Amino acid sequence: MKMKTTILTAAIAAALGLQAGLPGYVLAEGSGSSTSGSTAAGSKSAPSANSHAEALYKAALPLLSSSARLPEAIKYLNSNIYAVTPYQATVLTLKLENLHKAALKAWESKFMNSIVQRKLTSVYKAGISMTKLAESTDDTSLRSLLKSAGESGYKLETAEGSFFPVIDYAAYRKYRVYVSADIRDYISIMGTETDLPSSKDNGLVISWGDVAARALAQEEYIQSYPKSNRISAVKALYSTYVINTFYGQNNTPLFHYDNLEMDLEARKAYSSLLTKDKGSSPFLQKLDGLMKLLKDNGYKLDDGVTEYLKSEVPQS
C-alpha cells in the first residue's frame, strides 16, 4: 500500500536499523543501540538502581523477549515503569518498540487475509481502538483477532480500501515522563504520526502548514539529539516530510498540473511560517529561497524553480 511505504513503513523500517552504541550513551541491552546522554537516563554509565527498581527491571526483560508476551509486557510496564530508574525506563521502552516492530510483519499477514479484510469493512470506524472494534462485532474469530492485536499494542489503519495494523505510538505517551529527553520527544513525534498520518491514497490529508511544521519539528529533533538511538527513524521521517513540503504528492501536488501554479493554501501557509525567525534551520532557509523565486515569477513552476528544487531538494 502506498501510504504504508511512504510514511508509516518508511519510518518504522528505518528504526529497525539500530545504531551502534557510542561511548557515554545508554545502551538498550540486546539491541546494540544508544540513546541521548543529555539527561539522567543518559549518564556516562548505567546508574546503580536500588534493589526494588532493579528487581522490577530484571522481571521485565523476559517479557520483552517474545512477541507472544507483548500483552503481558505492556501491562507490566504500565504498572511498574514509574518505579524504575530513568535509565531502566528508557531501555525498557526501547525494547518494547523493538519488539513491536519485529512482530508487525506477522500481524500484517493476519490482517491481510481476504476474509478478514471483508469482515473489517463492516466494523471499521476511524479513530476507534482495536478493543472497541472487537466489542462491536459478533464474529468470534474477528473479535479474537482485534482483541489480541489491541492488547499487543497495535491499532488499525486503512488506505486504498485495505486495513492493516500499525504500532499504537499514542499508547507510549504514558512513558514520556520516565524516559530520557530524546526518547520523550521521539514518542511525541511518532504519536503525532499515529494520531493522524499525513497521507493516504497517495495524497496529503493534513494541511500544508502541518506538513511543514512537522518537518520543522523533526529537523529540530535531529539537531538536538544527533546521537539519539532513534535518530535514523526521525531522519527517515524528516526526508519524507521535506519531499512532501517541496513537491506534495501525486494527488496533492504543490504545483497544479493544469496551470503549474502553486497551491494557494500552501502559499499562504509557507509565507506565514517564514515570518518566524529562520535561525539555524536549513529547512526554513531552503523554503525561503523557494518562496522568493516564486514571488518573482508569479508563483508558477518554471525552469528556474525546477532547477532550484533539483539542486536544493533532490527527490533521489
Side-chain angles (χ1 to χ4, degrees), residues 53-64 69 76 92:
E54 186 70 13
L56 292 173
Y57 173 73
K58 289 183 176 180
L61 296 179
L63 303 179
L64 294 165
R69 305 190 72 177
Y76 186 89
L92 294 177

Side-chain angles (χ1 to χ4, degrees), residues 73-116:
I74 292 170
K75 288 180 181 178
Y76 186 89
L77 262 61
N78 289 350
S79 298
N80 297 290
I81 197 169
Y82 77 94
V84 301
T85 67
Y87 172 89
Q88 293 166 336
T90 299
V91 171
L92 294 177
T93 299
L94 293 178
K95 281 183 170 291
L96 178 62
E97 190 198 22
N98 288 345
L99 193 58
H100 268 136
K101 291 181 290 188
L104 183 59
K105 187 174 181 179
W107 278 107
E108 288 175 339
S109 296
K110 293 178 182 179
F111 277 85
M112 286 311 297
N113 178 283
S114 59
I115 296 175
V116 172

Side-chain angles (χ1 to χ4, degrees), residues 199-264:
S199 68
K200 287 189 177 184
D201 303 332
N202 211 22
L204 296 171
V205 293
I206 61 175
S207 70
W208 292 102
D210 284 341
V211 171
R214 289 189 190 186
L216 189 57
Q218 293 150 14
E219 181 188 57
E220 289 173 353
Y221 183 99
I222 293 167
Q223 292 177 337
S224 298
Y225 310 112
K227 296 180 180 180
S228 171
N229 176 277
R230 294 318 194 233
I231 191 67
S232 293
V234 177
K235 282 183 176 180
L237 195 62
Y238 174 65
S239 295
T240 298
Y241 273 92
V242 168
I243 295 301
N244 286 343
T245 299
F246 287 88
Y247 294 93
Q249 293 194 8
N250 287 347
N251 292 333
T252 49
L254 182 61
F255 298 98
H256 296 301
Y257 294 125
D258 54 354
N259 56 19
L260 300 183
E261 288 184 354
M262 182 184 189
D263 184 274
L264 182 58

Side-chain angles (χ1 to χ4, degrees), residues 6-291:
T6 56
I7 299 295
L8 296 175
T9 301
I12 294 172
L16 283 168
L18 299 177
Q19 298 177 319
L22 298 172
Y25 288 83
V26 174
L27 296 181
E29 292 90 334
S31 69
S33 55
S34 66
T35 188
S36 173
S38 61
T39 68
S43 56
K44 292 297 180 180
S45 60
S48 299
N50 60 51
S51 58
H52 179 61
E54 186 70 13
L56 292 173
Y57 173 73
K58 289 183 176 180
L61 296 179
L63 303 179
L64 294 165
S65 63
S66 170
S67 59
R69 305 190 72 177
L70 267 171
E72 188 179 358
I74 292 170
K75 288 180 181 178
Y76 186 89
L77 262 61
N78 289 350
S79 298
N80 297 290
I81 197 169
Y82 77 94
V84 301
T85 67
Y87 172 89
Q88 293 166 336
T90 299
V91 171
L92 294 177
T93 299
L94 293 178
K95 281 183 170 291
L96 178 62
E97 190 198 22
N98 288 345
L99 193 58
H100 268 136
K101 291 181 290 188
L104 183 59
K105 187 174 181 179
W107 278 107
E108 288 175 339
S109 296
K110 293 178 182 179
F111 277 85
M112 286 311 297
N113 178 283
S114 59
I115 296 175
V116 172
Q117 289 286 308
R118 186 170 62 254
K119 291 178 179 178
L120 287 171
T121 302
S122 62
V123 301
Y124 177 77
K125 292 182 180 179
I128 303 300
S129 69
M130 291 276 202
T131 301
K132 291 294 184 182
L133 289 175
E135 294 173 354
S136 69
T137 179
D138 294 326
D139 187 289
T140 304
S141 61
L142 181 61
R143 187 189 311 121
S144 176
L145 177 63
L146 290 168
K147 184 173 183 293
S148 180
E151 291 175 346
S152 294
Y154 298 95
K155 63 176 293 186
L156 196 63
E157 264 296 344
T158 182
E160 298 183 338
S162 296
F163 303 94
F164 51 90
V166 297
I167 300 173
D168 185 7
Y169 280 101
Y172 277 72
R173 288 191 175 114
K174 60 176 67 70
Y175 308 142
R176 291 181 72 254
V177 297
Y178 307 113
V179 299
S180 61
D182 64 314
I183 302 306
R184 176 200 66 207
D185 292 348
Y186 171 73
I187 290 171
S188 293
I189 288 173
M190 298 306 293
T192 297
E193 294 303 302
T194 296
D195 290 343
L196 184 58
S198 64
S199 68
K200 287 189 177 184
D201 303 332
N202 211 22
L204 296 171
V205 293
I206 61 175
S207 70
W208 292 102
D210 284 341
V211 171
R214 289 189 190 186
L216 189 57
Q218 293 150 14
E219 181 188 57
E220 289 173 353
Y221 183 99
I222 293 167
Q223 292 177 337
S224 298
Y225 310 112
K227 296 180 180 180
S228 171
N229 176 277
R230 294 318 194 233
I231 191 67
S232 293
V234 177
K235 282 183 176 180
L237 195 62
Y238 174 65
S239 295
T240 298
Y241 273 92
V242 168
I243 295 301
N244 286 343
T245 299
F246 287 88
Y247 294 93
Q249 293 194 8
N250 287 347
N251 292 333
T252 49
L254 182 61
F255 298 98
H256 296 301
Y257 294 125
D258 54 354
N259 56 19
L260 300 183
E261 288 184 354
M262 182 184 189
D263 184 274
L264 182 58
E265 292 304 316
R267 172 181 167 182
K268 292 178 180 178
Y270 294 174
S271 297
S272 176
L273 181 63
L274 290 170
T275 60
K276 302 177 181 179
D277 181 13
K278 288 176 282 296
S280 59
S281 169
F283 172 78
L284 288 181
Q285 291 167 6
K286 290 179 180 180
L287 188 60
D288 186 50
L290 174 66
M291 293 302 289

